[in-house]
């Protein structure tokens, strides 16, 4: 199960997940062209430098897709390289659709036979949580993971995620549905489920204000926003509390804070950030 593998990786390597986000300004800082070839070199160097030092990497698919088929080929190589390096992958695609279309997305990113298969993916539930069923089914069949967008840090997200229906916010309902999926799949309540949430590390008291605890989902919580976006251990504690941090449930994600150190410095930057985050253990 993905949850079991992720828990083991976080226990051994710490709670840091490094985003592979080849922005144009980062490519330029690394002396690389804004092209599929530049993105490929950037991503493969990142994987090589982080091998054996972090629990997971999170390639952002859009930065590869923008360069067409050559960019997608670079993403395929990146996923394969991460697999060979023993790094778990969270492919940040935020897909969400209905019926056979969602099934096709699931086949593309969760079927081991696909060149784009990752260990886990991010998905959007805003066409209805039930529409994600093909992704959950295929993930369960192949030991993969699914992270569902719940409470994101962008201001626009609140108009949907904070909306209340029958006394419950949309975000709280997502947490409840993910908890149900994990409960169906787990043999023990002490296990980390393979289905989790995306909750921004910079949302402050938003979850508490809406009356729920994200850690109740029973699975891992992907928490983007660490480092350059302003979140550190104090902010993680404010959002998730000591229990979630100490139990190894929160996979804290940083991109620019690590990648900005350049190809020769990113390993040290990741190690330093990981040490800071480990203080919650």
């Amino acid at each position: 199960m993905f949850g079991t593998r992720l828990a083991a990786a976080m226990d051994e390597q710490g709670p840091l997940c490094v985003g592979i986000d080849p922005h144009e300004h980062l490519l330029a800082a690394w002396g690389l062209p804004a092209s599929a070839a530049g993105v490929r070199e950037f991503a493969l160097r990142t994987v090589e430098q982080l091998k054996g030092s972090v629990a997971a990497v999170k390639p952002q698919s859009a930065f590869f897709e923008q360069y067409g088929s050559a960019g997608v080929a670079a993403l395929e190589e990146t996923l394969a390289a991460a697999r060979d390096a023993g790094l778990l992958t969270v492919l940040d695609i935020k897909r969400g659709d209905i019926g056979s279309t969602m099934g096709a997305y699931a086949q593309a990113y969760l079927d081991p036979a696909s060149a784009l298969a990752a260990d886990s993916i991010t998905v959007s539930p805003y066409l209805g949580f039930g529409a994600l069923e093909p992704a959950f089914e295929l993930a369960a069949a192949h030991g993969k993971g699914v992270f569902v967008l719940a409470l994101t840090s962008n201001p626009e997200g609140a108009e949907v995620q904070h909306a209340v229906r029958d006394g419950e916010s949309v975000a709280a309902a997502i947490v409840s549905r993910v908890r149900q999926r994990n409960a169906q799949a787990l043999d023990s309540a002490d296990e980390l489920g393979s289905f989790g949430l995306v909750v921004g590390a910079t949302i402050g008291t938003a979850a508490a204000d809406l009356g729920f605890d994200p850690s109740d989902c029973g699975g891992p919580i992907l928490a983007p926003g660490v480092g350059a976006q302003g979140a550190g251990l104090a902010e993680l504690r404010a959002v998730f509390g000591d229990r979630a941090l100490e139990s190894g449930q929160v996979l804290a994600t940083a991109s620019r804070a690590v990648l900005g150190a350049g190809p020769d410095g990113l390993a040290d930057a990741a190690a330093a950030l990981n040490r800071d985050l480990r203080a919650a253990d």
Side-chain angles (χ1 to χ4, degrees), residues 18-100:
V18 175
I20 303 180
D21 300 356
H23 294 270
E24 281 195 27
H25 72 273
L26 287 173
L27 291 170
W30 284 36
L32 296 171
S35 67
V39 166
R40 175 184 179 277
E41 181 68 17
F42 181 98
L44 294 180
R45 282 196 205 176
T46 300
V47 168
E48 178 60 29
Q49 290 295 314
L50 295 176
K51 179 171 58 177
S53 63
V54 297
V57 291
K58 183 176 71 66
Q60 169 48 260
S61 183
F63 288 109
F64 295 83
E65 293 175 34
Q66 66 180 329
Y67 296 108
S69 59
V72 174
L75 178 57
E76 292 175 356
E77 286 191 65
T78 301
L79 292 166
R83 192 159 48 245
D84 291 343
L87 291 167
L88 291 176
T89 50
V90 181
L91 183 54
D92 200 353
I93 52 170
K94 299 183 179 72
R95 300 294 194 260
D97 217 308
I98 58 174
S100 58

Side-chain angles (χ1 to χ4, degrees), residues 10 15 175 179 189-192 197 207 211-221 233-234 236-251 277 279-281:
M10 292 173 69
V175 174
R179 180 177 65 247
D190 294 330
E191 293 180 75
L192 185 67
L197 306 172
F212 70 92
D213 182 350
S215 67
D216 288 341
C217 72
I221 302 171
L233 186 54
L236 290 169
R237 287 190 191 280
V239 175
F240 303 109
D242 289 337
R243 182 186 64 161
L245 294 177
E246 292 170 4
S247 67
Q249 192 174 3
V250 179
L251 184 61
L277 294 171
D281 294 345

Side-chain angles (χ1 to χ4, degrees), residues 53-155:
S53 63
V54 297
V57 291
K58 183 176 71 66
Q60 169 48 260
S61 183
F63 288 109
F64 295 83
E65 293 175 34
Q66 66 180 329
Y67 296 108
S69 59
V72 174
L75 178 57
E76 292 175 356
E77 286 191 65
T78 301
L79 292 166
R83 192 159 48 245
D84 291 343
L87 291 167
L88 291 176
T89 50
V90 181
L91 183 54
D92 200 353
I93 52 170
K94 299 183 179 72
R95 300 294 194 260
D97 217 308
I98 58 174
S100 58
T101 306
M102 191 64 222
Y105 281 136
Q107 290 286 341
Y109 302 114
L110 295 170
D111 188 331
S114 170
L116 284 167
D119 292 298
S120 63
I121 61 173
T122 60
V123 296
S124 172
Y126 298 113
L127 283 176
F129 193 90
L132 300 176
E133 191 64 25
F136 288 122
E137 288 182 354
L138 205 59
H142 295 297
K144 306 287 190 176
V146 176
F147 290 93
V148 185
L149 297 176
L151 269 180
T152 57
S153 56
N154 61 305

Side-chain angles (χ1 to χ4, degrees), residues 6-17:
L6 179 61
M10 292 173 69
D11 185 58
E12 181 178 355
Q13 304 293 355
L16 180 63
C17 171

